[in-house]
Amino acid sequence: MRRLVSALGWWRRQVDGTDRWEAYLRACAAHGHPPVSRGAFERARADARAARPGARCC
């Protein structure tokens, strides 16, 4: 049961972007600059995905 809960937690963090957000916060701290808000971070990610659609169907 513990493995299932752990796997579901990992999956949720991947889907909702929490892992990427926390990696960004660590990078900001390592480089000594203030992070942008979570909303601005997510908008920048969405804009970057839209700029290079890759193999999407639409």
Side-chain angles (χ1 to χ4, degrees):
M1 185 66 170
R2 181 177 286 189
R3 287 181 62 188
L4 176 62
V5 171
S6 177
L8 289 174
W10 175 87
W11 180 80
R12 182 193 57 82
R13 291 173 57 81
Q14 296 300 312
V15 170
D16 72 7
T18 301
D19 266 357
R20 289 180 196 92
W21 171 247
E22 289 174 354
Y24 167 71
L25 292 177
R26 286 190 301 273
C28 286
H31 293 114
H33 59 79
V36 298
S37 69
R38 175 82 189 252
F41 173 78
E42 293 297 339
R43 280 189 300 277
R45 284 186 58 226
D47 291 346
R49 280 192 311 269
R52 48 177 167 65
R56 292 189 329 208
C57 67
C58 307

